[in-house]
Amino acid sequence: AQSVAQPEDQVNVAEGNPLTVKCTYSVSGNPYLFWYVQYPNRGLQFLLKYITGDNLVKGSYGFEAEFNKSQTSFHLKKPSALVSDSALYFCAVREMGTASKLTFGTGTRLQVTL
Amino acid sequence: AAGVIQSPRHLIKEKRETATLKCYPIPRHDTVYWYQQGPGQDPQFLISFYEKMQSDKGSIPDRFSAQQFSDYHSELNMSSLELGDSALYFCASSSPFGGRPGELFFGEGSRLTVL
């Protein structure tokens, strides 16, 4: 079975400060890891993914994430937060293989204030 | 670029009625997934299809059924609707080929409200 843990329900950060949204995962094989963002009443918007290769992955809107195999973590980061980054962020994992499902974490609400 | 299309975007039904949601995957994608996201919840996997066959099953109630057709579109049929079925239903598609392996592409979702 595969699972994702996002230990923080909400993260608060001031605009211009760096942000980190935490994610740890569990999967029996090799993982595909993803971050999605969801704005109110909208669909899931892809931010970035780790498949293989470089542990530091760069994605949309200045976000990046670092894959750490020994800690089974895939934390989302951004050097300088914007108020417009305020949204719900989901970490997700799927096991490599055809048609394997994507399992989401419970989501972390990011609130960026002026 | 073409995306995953879901219809209808919004649907209002009474208890005990039936509803059908449709999903049109990205062209040449062979796998479709259905997710249910209740208010304030994370998306929960319902069911998936690969090459028109059910490939995995999650927390889909017995009152729900789904299938994938020869043109790869999928339909989620929900019967005897309950208030707790009110949710945002997402469809996603994927392909093992192409430049973005492993990624699921999500539609905007169909919001079902059961009164």
Side-chain angles (χ1 to χ4, degrees), chain A residues 101-103, chain B residues 32-36 43-48 56-60:
Chain A
K101 67 185 179 188
L102 192 65
T103 297
Chain B
V32 168
Y33 309 78
W34 285 98
Y35 284 82
Q36 177 193 56
Q44 293 292 316
F45 172 71
L46 292 178
I47 195 166
S48 63
D56 200 354
K57 193 172 181 179
S59 52
I60 185 169

Side-chain angles (χ1 to χ4, degrees), chain A residues 32 34 36 38 41-44 46 49 51 88 90 94 98-107, chain B residues 31 33 35 37 41-43 45 48 50 55-56 88 90 94 100-104 106-108 111:
Chain A
Y32 287 154
F34 303 83
Y36 286 86
Q38 187 177 31
N41 299 310
R42 297 298 306 276
L44 293 161
F46 170 81
K49 68 180 179 184
I51 301 295
L88 190 56
F90 289 101
R94 69 185 295 214
T98 302
S100 59
K101 67 185 179 188
L102 192 65
T103 297
F104 288 89
T106 49
Chain B
T31 308
Y33 309 78
Y35 284 82
Q37 186 180 26
Q41 303 293 313
D42 54 293
F45 172 71
S48 63
Y50 169 62
S55 56
D56 200 354
L88 193 54
F90 287 110
S94 72
R100 298 172 73 169
E103 187 176 337
L104 268 64
F106 283 86
E108 282 291 313
R111 183 170 294 283

